Amino acid sequence: MINLVTKDWCFDNVEAILFDKDGTFIDLHYFWGKMTELRALEVINRFGLSDNLFSELCLYLGYDVNSGKMLSDGITALYSRSKIIEIFRRNLTQFGVDTTDEVLVDIFDKVSEDFYKNMQKYTKPIAEAIEFIKLLNQKGVKLGVVTSDSVESAKMTLKYYGWDELFEVVIGRESSPYTKESGEPTKLALQKLNVNPQNTVMIGDAPMDYISARNAGINKVILVATGQINKCKLLKTCDFVVDSLSEIRFN
């Protein structure tokens, strides 16, 4: 076991660490910005909407085309995929689109399939986070990923960058019938790693990660301000927030 230490606090007896993916060790704005643009274009094509609606549709999906940033209060930051689709379906009614969640799932799946064929163009690692993870691996800490993305896409990312040996388990949205916020996917990761939640730390970039951890019985949660939400806002959810994972030391 190791201790995680910053200038302000310390987590003792850490056996395992679970990581969110996007915004935590993958540049969320670049990755999900490109994904959102492709989703908006497919919606325009599928329903015969005006190209002029592109920027507005991206905003509804939580991405500002002009700034190139995902919105901290956008639906992608706040909700799981199923909830995003439900909200977006309601938004589309104002453009005369009467569709179903199932149709939007099909659109999202088609975009994802095309997206991941060229994944290397859309994925940028957060360098300090990857260095942190590699050091943890060298220390023998058990590591896992708990993401709202699919297991397939998460594993493709890890394999592409040669990180697949760093993580013992990858839990995605299809790993459990329950949402990430429920804590059930995180409990599944704990079971697969065979670790005690009291000796486990969850690291993410959003309140969703904090809620997921607490609902799984994990009390040690660190949020990092490298995603959509700044440090001040994250501190309203969690007491342990860093600007970068490079701030954390081991002893």
Side-chain angles (χ1 to χ4, degrees), residues 3 10 21-22 74 81-82 89 98 105 107 109 117 131 141 144 151-152 157 171-173 175 200 206 224 236 245:
N3 302 329
C10 174
K21 179 171 73 73
D22 300 318
R81 189 176 191 252
S82 60
R89 173 181 54 77
D98 184 14
V105 166
I107 289 173
D109 285 347
K117 289 177 183 177
E131 182 63 24
V141 179
V151 172
E152 180 183 11
T157 301
I171 301 297
R173 65 171 177 264
S175 302
T200 302
V224 57
K236 294 178 180 179
L245 292 181

Side-chain angles (χ1 to χ4, degrees), residues 1-2 14-17 132-143 165-166 168 193 195 199 250:
M1 294 188 184
I2 66 167
V14 177
E15 177 186 11
I17 300 181
F132 178 74
I133 290 168
K134 288 180 178 178
L135 289 172
L136 289 170
N137 177 258
Q138 292 170 13
K139 294 284 187 179
V141 179
K142 294 184 177 183
L143 303 176
E165 297 300 320
L166 298 176
E168 295 184 38
L193 288 174
V195 292
N199 297 326
F250 317 132

Side-chain angles (χ1 to χ4, degrees), residues 100-112:
T100 64
D101 287 0
E102 289 73 21
V103 170
L104 290 179
V105 166
D106 180 68
I107 289 173
F108 278 38
D109 285 347
K110 179 182 183 301
V111 168
S112 293

